[in-house]
Amino acid sequence: MPRFSNEPIASRCAPGSADVPPLVMPPYVRLTQTIKHRDEHGKLLSVEIRAALGEVITQPGTVHIERVNGMLRDRLNALTRKTHAFAKRDATWDALVHLQLFEHNWIRPHRVLRLPMPAQSRRYQPRTPAMALGLTDHPWSWIAFLTTSLYTTPK
């Protein structure tokens, strides 16, 4: 059973004590900060990349995460400004985000992932990211998602 204390954390876990392992950052972890400089009209003047942790990466790949952030902001009212929609509980928030990520990766075909079809009525085969990774062979539907039972191991 966990024990709780009213003592400040600093006095309970002094640096170097046997109870607290030292925090060590792996050498391969890099965190960059991208700062966009704009003029008074909003026109992009320059982009500055700083190393927040580790070495500077010359070409950080932020396109994918920015695309997911934009998709979530577009589809979840709780992420937009000046709305009355919000998640009152953490479990509701987690469910909303996970459902949107499932829809993004398993249900909705992405145009850049489509494959040309050899001499058939349709020119391209639509593919989802899950199909591109080989996790499934077809785009899922909400009905399939809600009615498929998954086997999990007991805890």
Side-chain angles (χ1 to χ4, degrees):
M1 175 149 266
R3 293 180 17 186
F4 299 98
S5 172
N6 290 334
E7 293 179 51
I9 292 176
S11 65
R12 283 187 286 142
C13 301
S17 69
D19 296 340
V20 181
L23 297 176
V24 178
M25 188 63 59
Y28 55 84
V29 174
R30 294 183 177 101
L31 181 65
T32 60
Q33 179 183 20
T34 304
I35 302 166
K36 297 178 180 178
H37 301 282
R38 299 180 184 272
D39 65 6
E40 61 273 2
H41 302 293
K43 182 179 177 185
L44 184 65
L45 298 174
S46 65
V47 177
E48 178 185 356
I49 299 173
R50 294 182 188 167
L53 182 67
E55 300 174 7
V56 174
I57 302 171
T58 56
Q59 292 292 328
T62 60
V63 172
H64 303 292
I65 193 65
E66 290 297 332
R67 182 171 188 245
V68 171
N69 288 343
M71 177 272 305
L72 288 173
R73 196 169 36 254
D74 184 47
R75 297 182 191 159
L76 289 178
N77 287 338
L79 287 174
T80 58
R81 297 177 71 196
K82 299 181 181 178
T83 63
H84 294 291
F86 60 94
K88 292 182 180 181
R89 297 189 179 110
D90 289 345
T92 305
W93 170 257
D94 290 342
L96 288 170
V97 171
H98 284 96
L99 283 173
Q100 284 304 317
L101 290 174
F102 179 84
E103 190 261 347
H104 179 77
N105 291 314
W106 291 80
I107 295 176
R108 185 180 295 251
H110 295 237
R111 187 173 184 167
V112 296
L113 297 176
R114 65 187 183 176
L115 293 176
M117 297 186 71
Q120 292 185 2
S121 62
R122 291 187 355 209
R123 293 180 59 188
Y124 296 101
Q125 174 196 7
R127 290 195 321 162
T128 64
M131 291 171 66
L133 291 173
L135 301 174
T136 185
D137 59 352
H138 64 282
W140 281 40
S141 67
W142 282 110
I143 299 291
F145 168 64
L146 295 172
T147 58
T148 299
S149 62
L150 299 175
Y151 298 101
T152 60
T153 57
K155 291 184 179 182

